[in-house]
């Protein structure tokens, strides 16, 4: 592997696994997988866009190690995270006769990773699973930690299971083909790790974000590795989100409500954009509740806007429903306990915390204010 490549270990005892980060990993996938798994049959699930670019290279790499490949190509887009594609995945895995020493490979962004991981987690009550994330967002967030699932008309990611991968191959070369919008959307999740509890990392991003956006640079790999290490550390302590792991949802409670309100239409809003707006809203709401200085919210908004991300609900094309509808979506959030709203709020830059029992009336008033502004 290249000298700039990095390895992050997710420490979960006998279910521990490596995240490999660096250039050329799809071409090396066969060797990396063959060195870790005994099985020689792999079901590869991808989407039309990613498959057209990388499926042949992955198949060739696996074939070089005498691994048989059984591909399934699905439509691209958030709407693929639903029941019908899940059934297709499960049937495909069974038709390919994938056994427990074999594996299911997700080749794609967060949608394919979440969907494939869910299918791998329920077929034969759990099959081996490998993530090859092809978007920045998936490389730094959704491919790590074992959360899998699909969306419901009631909200995002409400149906799923925890199913850890056996290996994550984050090929930095594939990021060069992302559109500027896709890359920016992934960057929102990178910034999130600084805002949770790593203010030094956020300051580094403020100074170096242009280098992170530059193709083929060491700063990009460093940002991905730092993000993966931050998530790995949290997952090792709280795999199933009983406490600490909830912090990883900074900005997501608002963001998921916005995604539901736009009916998961990626032309209007993609996940990372929702997270960007959601993180700004979380910091503004923290200031409203006298938990943090308004200057912190302004600083967060300034940086996200500087990199080209949306930071206000008014930037979402097509308009949004009333505040009451957004609040209803928030009440479906997985962090709600006993009907009480839970948000990830902050006391300052990189000082996020889990706030239980947030008054719904305050959230409603805040949303009305922001929608009207």
């Amino acid at each position: 592997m290249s000298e700039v490549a990095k390895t992050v270990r997710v420490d979960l005892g006998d279910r521990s696994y490596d995240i490999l980060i660096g250039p050329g990993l799809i071409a090396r996938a066969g060797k990396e997988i063959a060195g870790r798994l005994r099985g020689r049959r792999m079901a590869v699930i991808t989407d039309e866009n990613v498959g057209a670019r990388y499926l042949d290279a992955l198949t060739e790499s696996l074939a070089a190690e005498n691994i048989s490949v059984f591909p399934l190509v699905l439509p691209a887009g958030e709407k693929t995270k639903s029941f019908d594609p899940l059934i297709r995945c499960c049937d495909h895995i069974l038709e390919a006769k994938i056994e427990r020493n074999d594996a299911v490979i997700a080749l794609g962004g967060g949608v394919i990773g979440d969907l494939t991981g869910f299918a791998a987690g329920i077929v034969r009550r759990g099959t081996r699973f490998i993530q090859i994330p092809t978007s920045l967002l998936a490389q730094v967030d959704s491919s790590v930690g074992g959360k899998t699932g699909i969306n419901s008309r009631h909200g995002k990611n409400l149906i799923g299971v925890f199913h850890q991968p056996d290996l994550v191959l984050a090929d930095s070369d594939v990021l060069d083909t992302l559109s500027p919008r896709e890359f920016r959307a992934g960057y929102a999740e990178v910034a999130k790790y600084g805002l949770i509890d790593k203010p030094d990392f956020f300051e580094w991003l403020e100074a170096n974000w242009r280098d992170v956006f530059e193709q083929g640079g060491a700063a990009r790999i460093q940002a991905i590795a730092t993000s993966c290490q931050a998530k790995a550390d949290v997952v090792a302590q709280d795999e199933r989100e009983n406490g600490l792991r909830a912090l990883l949802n900074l900005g997501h409670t608002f963001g998921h409500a916005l995604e539901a309100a736009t009916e998961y239409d990626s032309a209007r809003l993609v996940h990372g954009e929702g997270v960007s707006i959601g993180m700004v809203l979380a910091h503004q709401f923290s200031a409203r509740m006298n938990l943090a200085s308004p200057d912190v919210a302004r600083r967060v908004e300034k940086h996200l806007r500087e990199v080209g991300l949306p930071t206000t609900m008014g930037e979402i094309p097509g308009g949004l429903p009333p505040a009451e509808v957004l609040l209803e979506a928030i009440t479906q959030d997985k962090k709600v306990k006993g009907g009480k709203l839970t948000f990830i709020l902050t006391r300052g830059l990189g000082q996020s915390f889990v706030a239980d029992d947030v008054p719904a009336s305050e959230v409603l008033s805040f949303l009305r204010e922001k929608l009207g502004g």
Side-chain angles (χ1 to χ4, degrees):
M1 290 178 65
S2 166
E3 62 180 10
V4 298
K6 295 181 180 293
T7 300
V8 173
R9 183 76 168 169
V10 182
D11 188 2
L12 292 169
D14 60 2
R15 293 177 297 111
S16 298
Y17 57 92
D18 289 332
I19 308 165
L20 306 186
I21 305 154
L25 282 171
I26 288 180
R28 286 187 53 84
K31 290 183 178 179
E32 297 295 346
I33 292 169
R36 291 170 169 83
L37 274 68
R38 298 195 304 274
R40 287 297 177 266
R41 297 172 72 86
M42 305 283 157
V44 177
I45 298 174
T46 188
D47 68 36
E48 293 166 341
N49 295 341
V50 173
R53 282 197 171 105
Y54 303 115
L55 182 56
D56 286 348
L58 176 61
T59 299
E60 182 179 337
S61 176
L62 294 169
E65 300 298 325
N66 297 315
I67 296 174
S68 299
V69 177
F70 302 87
L72 173 65
V73 181
L74 297 171
E78 188 73 27
K79 292 183 179 180
T80 293
K81 279 180 61 171
S82 56
F83 275 108
D84 286 346
L86 175 66
I87 293 168
R88 285 188 65 188
C89 289
C90 293
D91 283 343
H92 179 75
I93 295 166
L94 292 169
E95 288 166 2
K97 298 182 180 178
I98 300 301
E99 300 176 353
R100 288 188 174 178
N101 284 330
D102 300 321
V104 179
I105 300 176
L107 174 66
V111 168
I112 289 296
D114 286 357
L115 173 70
T116 304
F118 188 10
I122 58 178
V123 171
R124 304 191 194 281
R125 297 190 178 90
T127 57
R128 292 185 179 276
F129 173 45
I130 295 167
Q131 287 267 23
I132 305 181
T134 58
S135 69
L136 177 60
L137 190 150
Q139 290 190 0
V140 301
D141 184 59
S142 60
S143 68
V144 180
K147 278 188 178 181
T148 74
I150 60 174
N151 302 328
S152 159
R153 64 184 178 84
H154 296 288
K156 188 176 175 72
N157 297 331
L158 293 179
I159 304 166
V161 297
F162 283 93
H163 188 58
Q164 297 291 346
D166 292 83
L167 177 67
V168 179
L169 299 176
D171 190 330
S172 57
D173 285 342
V174 305
L175 303 182
D176 294 345
T177 64
L178 295 182
S179 70
R181 184 188 184 197
E182 288 178 294
F183 193 89
R184 286 194 299 265
Y187 181 86
E189 295 280 4
V190 174
K192 177 191 73 175
Y193 292 107
L195 294 173
I196 291 171
D197 62 357
K198 290 179 169 48
D200 290 349
F201 182 46
F202 187 78
E203 291 172 3
W204 182 86
L205 290 172
E206 287 178 309
N208 296 281
W209 70 267
R210 290 176 180 83
D211 293 331
V212 175
F213 277 64
E214 187 71 26
Q215 293 185 2
R220 177 178 291 186
I221 293 176
Q222 181 60 46
I224 295 169
T226 301
S227 300
C228 288
Q229 187 66 65
K231 184 160 189 180
D233 290 344
V234 171
V235 170
Q237 296 177 69
D238 179 20
E239 181 181 359
R240 293 180 175 265
E241 199 171 301
N242 294 313
L244 178 66
R245 185 166 178 171
L247 292 174
L248 296 173
N249 291 301
L250 174 65
H252 286 59
T253 302
F254 286 117
H256 284 170
L258 296 174
E259 287 184 86
T262 57
E263 298 180 325
Y264 308 110
D265 182 353
S266 60
R268 298 176 63 193
L269 187 75
V270 295
H271 176 68
E273 293 169 341
V275 170
S276 175
I277 297 169
M279 290 192 297
V280 173
L281 291 173
H283 283 78
Q284 291 173 339
F285 188 67
S286 297
R288 178 189 177 95
M289 301 295 287
N290 296 315
L291 296 167
S293 167
D295 291 341
V296 176
R298 284 191 283 268
R299 182 174 174 182
V300 172
E301 182 174 12
K302 177 179 181 294
H303 178 60
L304 295 176
R305 185 175 296 281
E306 186 177 28
V307 306
L309 282 161
T311 58
T312 66
M313 291 189 286
E315 294 172 74
I316 300 173
L320 291 171
E324 290 80 2
V325 175
L326 293 178
L327 183 63
E328 176 62 25
I330 287 171
T331 64
Q332 288 284 2
D333 189 90
K334 297 181 294 300
K335 296 180 292 300
V336 172
K337 294 181 180 178
K340 297 178 180 179
L341 300 184
T342 299
F343 280 80
I344 311 305
L345 300 180
T346 188
R347 297 187 178 92
L349 189 72
Q351 298 179 48
S352 297
F353 68 100
V354 180
D356 293 314
D357 200 12
V358 174
S361 59
E362 289 285 352
V363 178
L364 182 60
S365 176
F366 174 72
L367 288 171
R368 284 172 173 164
E369 173 189 312
K370 292 301 175 182
L371 284 169

